[in-house]
Amino acid sequence: MPLPPVLFAFYLVAAAASGVLIGASGIGGVLLLPLLLLLDVPVAVALPAVLASYCPTSAVAVVANLRRRALPLRPAVVLGVGVGPGATTGALLVL
């Protein structure tokens, strides 16, 4: 069932405002999850949506910090090599 245009526009504005606040503060899940819950999004949908939103926001942060030469690459790569398989294993265990 498609969303009414007014509701879709409201969700889009709320998501954009949340994105600006997340980008400015760096505390994504703290803002986005309560917003989704206030919009009556079920927890089973809201939580994965918040987690999925970390991928693009993290990618933008990495690019921005690389451009400013503010990202220590060696520790980032070491953490990434360990966190990737660990997160995958944890997700598979929950399933």
Side-chain angles (χ1 to χ4, degrees), residues 3-88:
L3 287 174
V6 173
L7 190 58
F8 179 77
F10 176 74
Y11 283 174
L12 192 61
V13 169
S18 177
V20 168
L21 290 172
I22 289 166
S25 66
I27 52 171
V30 174
L31 298 171
L32 189 54
L33 185 60
L35 173 67
L36 291 174
L37 296 177
L38 285 173
L39 295 172
D40 289 329
V41 176
V43 173
V45 174
L47 193 54
V50 169
L51 293 175
S53 74
Y54 291 159
C55 293
T57 55
S58 297
V60 169
V62 166
V63 170
N65 283 306
L66 279 174
R67 286 183 178 167
R68 291 191 337 220
R69 298 184 190 269
L71 180 66
L73 286 177
R74 186 171 303 230
V77 170
V78 170
L79 286 172
V81 167
V83 168
T88 302

